[in-house]
Amino acid sequence: MRLGVLTGGGDCPGLNPLIRAVVKRGILELGYDFVGLENGYMGLIEPDLARPLTLADTRGILPKGGTILGTSNRANPFQYAVREGEKWVERDLSARALERAKELRLDGLIAIGGDGTLSIAARLAELGLNVVGCPKTIDNDLSGVDQTFGFDTARMIVTEAIDRLHTTAESHDRVMVVEIMGRHAGFLTLESALAGGADVILIPEIPYRIEPIVEKLKSRARGKRSFSIIAISEGAAPKGGSLAVLEKAEDVPGRGVVRLGGSGKVCADLLAEHIEAEIRVTVLGHLQRGGAPTAADRLLATRYGAKVLDLVRDGQWGHMVALRGGEIGAVSLAESKKQKRVDPSGDDVRFAKSLGICFGD
Ligand code: F6P
């Protein structure tokens, strides 16, 4: 059995432990061969981006963030960006990807990624490629999966950032707005903000009004706590307002998704019309995705990596590994198209509100 392995979409801590588990189990127990495809699906389109993936490649990578295979969030074979004259245009190169898999003599492909990478894998499976998937994302927004690896590490980084913002906010009596990743899902913001003790939590699932936030800040000031922490998702927006966008999907050929950013500034500007306190905005950005994975993410990624080879061995092509109810099983790759969102009337939001945290609703 000769398998291609690729990591696609945004990187996240845990990719290297997963690659390590796949390669070690595959070679040591099952006698498989691996081909590393570099930069996501680019490795299945462009020449010279495929190389043997051996035990030697996996030495020392367990605690490392990022991915030794490289990744790309612009390499969709169905909408591939190609240069035609002066312009970049999108072309369907899926046939070339299938051809390349044949040239490389791949019996199957292990695609590791978030919703974008896995839904491409599902489409390639429909075209007849043998594909299995492993879900990752710091956004934790895949519906068929309790938790994706990368999320725990990002949650820890954001919690620590909120802790650090607390001490400086308190010293200066400032309102600190911290902008957190997560695209259109508020899990990372909600859970880190709860763990870090933020006073206001603004998530995409609950469009906010500025009045209740102003009231919350004023009531804290009346109680002699003149600093406050506002945790806001990059995808959060005021009621009736629009998403804060840095780049539209159509501005970047082959990217396919909007680039968010600036929600913290939008919120700070709205607040500044109502309060005297000094407001500062911190955008955590890619710090949230960098560095060593936590023990929980290493473990989850290692389990996913070992388990995905059961799917290969048993011929469960078109499926991905998924943690559900504490067990790692297999679900159809089609599940990756369904995304989950924070339930505005779910336990975490309800409990947070019962502690006096404001959601701006
Ligand atoms: O999906 C993971 C994620 O980190 C999102 O939270 C964020 O919006 C996006 O990727 C950023 O992507 P990029 O690194 O391509 O700007």
Side-chain angles (χ1 to χ4, degrees), residues 9-70:
D11 72 330
C12 78
L15 290 168
N16 282 330
L18 194 153
I19 295 167
R20 173 181 175 270
V22 165
V23 172
K24 287 194 99 162
R25 181 180 180 208
I27 293 175
L28 297 176
E29 190 192 46
L30 301 161
Y32 294 170
D33 275 338
F34 294 96
V35 177
L37 301 166
E38 292 174 0
N39 301 345
Y41 288 105
M42 221 179 253
L44 259 192
I45 302 281
E46 309 285 345
D48 305 327
L49 288 180
R51 59 176 162 97
L53 191 54
T54 66
L55 286 176
D57 294 308
T58 66
R59 273 186 208 123
I61 67 171
L62 182 61
K64 289 197 178 145
T67 160
I68 58 163
L69 292 175

Side-chain angles (χ1 to χ4, degrees), residues 233-268:
S233 295
E234 58 182 357
K239 221 173 199 156
S242 46
L243 280 175
V245 167
L246 292 178
E247 252 169 3
K248 290 191 206 138
E250 53 272 28
D251 290 347
V252 187
R255 194 168 203 276
V257 290
V258 65
R259 185 150 80 88
L260 298 174
S263 65
K265 168 93 169 64
V266 169
C267 177

Side-chain angles (χ1 to χ4, degrees), residues 32-196:
Y32 294 170
D33 275 338
F34 294 96
V35 177
L37 301 166
E38 292 174 0
N39 301 345
Y41 288 105
M42 221 179 253
L44 259 192
I45 302 281
E46 309 285 345
D48 305 327
L49 288 180
R51 59 176 162 97
L53 191 54
T54 66
L55 286 176
D57 294 308
T58 66
R59 273 186 208 123
I61 67 171
L62 182 61
K64 289 197 178 145
T67 160
I68 58 163
L69 292 175
T71 185
S72 167
N73 56 15
R74 295 187 191 185
N76 177 352
F78 295 92
Q79 270 175 273
Y80 203 80
V82 287
R83 192 146 190 111
E84 285 185 1
E86 289 296 288
K87 294 189 301 187
W88 285 96
V89 290
E90 290 177 355
R91 294 281 175 254
D92 181 352
L93 300 188
S94 52
R96 191 196 288 185
L98 297 186
E99 200 46 45
R100 183 84 183 118
K102 271 195 202 141
E103 277 166 25
L104 292 168
R105 293 178 290 107
L106 300 182
D107 299 303
L109 173 70
I110 300 177
I112 309 164
D115 55 338
T117 304
L118 296 172
S119 45
I120 293 168
R123 290 181 73 186
L124 290 172
E126 281 163 20
L127 296 181
L129 193 70
N130 287 338
V131 197
V132 286
C134 296
K136 67 89 216 173
T137 167
I138 65 164
D139 305 340
N140 203 27
D141 58 352
L142 292 182
S143 87
V145 187
D146 293 350
Q147 191 160 316
T148 46
F149 66 87
F151 179 67
D152 185 64
T153 309
R155 185 174 54 186
M156 190 206 70
I157 295 167
V158 178
T159 302
E160 192 193 338
I162 294 175
D163 284 348
R164 288 177 186 275
L165 287 171
H166 259 102
T167 59
T168 172
E170 190 166 11
S171 304
H172 287 266
D173 283 342
R174 282 174 175 157
V175 172
M176 293 293 198
V177 179
V178 53
E179 183 178 312
I180 298 162
M181 280 183 167
R183 273 204 287 176
H184 307 294
F187 297 104
L188 184 58
T189 302
L190 176 61
E191 295 191 20
S192 320
L194 275 174

